[in-house]
């Protein structure tokens, strides 16, 4: 199934529980707002575009669950849900974007049934569009890859970070589809290991050759010329920087030092047209994510920990940004991206 989907019969949200991969593939159902928020906070569903869909479905779920019989009551309930969903993870702009898009769409409704119907159909549309957008990103990006390339990636910007296909991994999938032989180096992506748990699993399912390295090996493999290109996703793109999984900045500096092209693949919904580096809150996650691995203790249980989920890569380290509207080279002017 897709990473996240709407169950038409039960009017609930279905998703692949990404915290269990690769040990177990399990589809879970979110039938309440609190279960959805818990799933977002704990990264059962994660990745910027998938969070966009989760945000949209979340508001649709709130509309379905509300017992309000008047329009203002229903809209009030949905606004409360919208705020709650947006607060679960602050950095990936797509989450708020998905919520706002559904909230905006319901302004066309003239009764409570209309609000509920529009909320569901808009959320479903967001999910459908995400797949088409990723295919377009893939088509544009595939042209940047040469037959025989080895591409390094970080975190998971694959089908499990989206509704389907993927952004960074979508580019690789599309290149493979055109007959190019592409090998991937996946960085494990401490502390939650989206790279080792999810990216490797996804690529192996598709028989795309992948080799796992620790994050700290990226300098070595780039210096040894084992990497032709780097492609990562993004959680938020402002005019000056790209926010992506912690570790991305380090890879970009090393790639620049070794003149290895460094690409960011992301939908337009990841662009934050009003923001800049200082305006965005980087999510700080729990210290125990570093002190423990599952139940395994890795550090003194009271050691002070700094655990930002994302870092910031300046535009000067980026060769091009691959979107559904084409490939943009520096300087990245938002007006041009939108034109
Ligand atoms: O904390 P996560 O797993 O949600 O972070 C995901 C990333 O940083 C991805 O690289 C990013 O969202 C791009 S996904 C297409």
């Amino acid at each position: 199934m897709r990473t996240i989907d709407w169950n038409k019969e039960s009017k609930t949200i279905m998703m692949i529980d990404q915290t269990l991969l690769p040990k177990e593939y399990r589809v879970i159902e979110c039938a309440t707002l609190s279960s959805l928020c818990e799933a977002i906070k704990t990264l059962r569903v994660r990745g910027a575009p998938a969070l966009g869909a989760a945000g949209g479905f979340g508001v649709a779920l709130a509309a379905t669950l509300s017992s309000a019989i008047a329009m203002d009551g229903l809209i009030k309930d949905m606004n409360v849900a919208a705020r709650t969903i947006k607060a679960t993870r602050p950095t990936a702009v797509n989450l708020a974007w998905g919520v706002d898009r559904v909230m905006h769409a319901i302004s066309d409704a003239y009764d409570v049934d209309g609000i509920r119907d529009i909320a569901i159909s808009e959320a479903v549309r967001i999910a459908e569009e995400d797949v088409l957008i990723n295919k377009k990103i893939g088509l544009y990006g595939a042209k940047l890859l040469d037959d025989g390339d080895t591409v390094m990636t970080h975190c998971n910007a694959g089908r499990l970070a989206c509704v389907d296909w993927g952004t960074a991994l979508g580019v690789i999938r599309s290149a493979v589809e055109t007959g190019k032989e592409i090998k991937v180096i996946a960085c494990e992506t401490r502390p939650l290991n989206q790279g080792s748990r999810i990216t490797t699993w996804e690529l192996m399912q598709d028989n795309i050759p992948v080799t796992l390295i620790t994050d700290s090996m990226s300098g070595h493999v780039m210096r040894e010329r084992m990497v032709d290109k780097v492609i990562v996703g993004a959680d938020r793109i402002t005019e000056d920087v790209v926010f992506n999984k912690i570790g991305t900045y380090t890879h970009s500096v090393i790639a620049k030092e070794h003149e290895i092209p460094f690409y960011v693949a992301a939908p337009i919904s990841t662009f934050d047209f009003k923001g800049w580096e200082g305006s965005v809150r980087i999510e700080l996650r729990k210290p125990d994510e570093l002190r423990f691995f599952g139940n395994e203790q890795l550090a003194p249980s009271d050691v002070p920990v700094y655990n930002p989920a994302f870092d910031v890569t300046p535009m000067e380290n980026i060769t091009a940004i691959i979107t559904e509207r084409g490939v943009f080279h520096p300087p990245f002017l938002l007006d041009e991206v939108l034109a």
Side-chain angles (χ1 to χ4, degrees):
M1 77 162 251
R2 288 178 168 180
T3 302
I4 181 162
D5 216 341
W6 181 253
N7 186 328
K8 284 193 199 94
E9 281 74 47
S10 55
K11 297 198 171 160
T12 55
I13 303 166
M14 310 301 292
M15 65 176 73
I16 299 168
D17 185 343
Q18 299 188 40
T19 59
L20 303 175
L21 289 169
K23 246 172 134 180
E24 189 187 343
Y25 177 94
R26 192 193 297 171
V27 175
I28 56 168
E29 179 179 36
C30 292
T32 61
L33 193 64
S34 59
S35 64
L36 173 69
C37 291
E38 187 273 344
I40 296 172
K41 280 186 195 155
T42 57
L43 274 59
R44 295 186 200 284
V45 61
R46 46 147 298 282
L51 289 175
F57 284 141
V59 181
L61 181 68
T64 308
L65 293 174
S66 168
S67 54
I69 46 170
M71 278 178 81
D72 54 350
L74 179 53
I75 292 171
K76 200 169 144 219
D77 286 350
M78 290 172 73
N79 271 319
V80 171
R83 279 197 297 277
T84 309
I85 296 165
K86 283 184 190 182
T88 53
R89 294 197 77 192
T91 312
V93 69
N94 309 57
L95 179 63
W97 169 87
V99 167
D100 288 341
R101 197 170 131 174
V102 172
M103 289 308 292
H104 181 73
I106 60 162
S107 56
D108 288 342
Y110 53 86
D111 61 18
V112 285
D113 290 340
I115 290 179
R116 293 190 172 101
D117 288 348
I118 290 175
I120 293 171
S121 55
E122 188 67 11
V124 169
R125 195 170 301 125
I126 289 173
E128 293 298 333
E129 280 175 17
D130 182 64
V131 184
L132 299 175
I133 285 169
N134 291 334
K135 292 276 180 138
K136 280 190 187 162
I137 292 173
L139 281 181
Y140 284 118
K143 296 187 187 133
L144 300 170
L145 300 187
D146 295 308
D147 190 24
D149 270 354
T150 298
V151 178
M152 194 180 92
T153 191
H154 189 66
C155 193
N156 173 265
R159 68 161 47 107
L160 285 158
C162 304
V163 177
D164 205 349
W165 201 248
T167 53
L169 297 192
V171 168
I172 293 164
R173 283 198 171 92
S174 296
V176 169
E177 221 176 44
T178 65
K180 291 177 188 169
E181 266 185 40
I182 308 291
K183 292 193 181 102
V184 180
I185 292 182
C187 297
E188 68 173 345
T189 318
R190 283 284 292 146
L192 295 181
N193 289 64
Q194 291 92 330
S196 57
R197 293 187 303 103
I198 303 173
T199 294
T200 55
W201 182 82
E202 240 196 80
L203 291 171
M204 288 174 80
Q205 295 264 314
D206 282 5
N207 292 318
I208 297 175
V210 56
T211 301
L212 173 66
I213 62 168
T214 67
D215 303 327
S216 55
M217 290 172 192
S218 78
H220 174 72
V221 295
M222 285 199 255
R223 188 176 160 80
E224 293 292 312
R225 309 305 307 177
M226 291 163 73
V227 175
D228 298 296
K229 275 137 203 166
V230 180
I231 310 183
V232 295
D235 287 86
R236 187 184 291 243
I237 301 174
T238 57
E239 206 147 14
D240 50 346
V241 295
V242 169
F243 292 82
N244 193 47
K245 180 53 58 190
I246 190 79
T248 303
Y249 170 63
T250 317
H251 301 320
S252 78
V253 172
I254 301 164
K256 195 175 176 190
E257 169 72 17
H258 295 284
E259 294 177 358
I260 294 168
F262 188 93
Y263 296 113
V264 172
I268 299 290
S269 56
T270 303
F271 285 74
D272 171 4
F273 301 115
K274 293 188 203 116
W276 65 95
E277 177 174 358
S279 71
V280 178
R281 185 154 70 88
I282 293 186
E283 176 185 356
L284 286 179
R285 294 190 59 85
K286 287 187 187 141
D288 278 357
E289 288 182 356
L290 268 75
R291 295 181 186 136
F292 291 85
F293 191 76
N295 293 327
E296 198 64 40
Q297 189 170 339
L298 302 177
S301 56
D302 53 354
V303 66
V305 163
Y306 175 54
N307 186 16
F310 304 98
D311 64 20
V312 169
T313 298
M315 290 300 181
E316 60 264 27
N317 289 8
I318 294 166
T319 309
I321 301 181
I322 310 161
T323 75
E324 70 272 30
R325 297 205 189 157
V327 177
F328 296 91
H329 295 269
F332 302 103
L333 303 172
L334 290 186
D335 290 351
E336 247 174 58
V337 178
L338 281 180

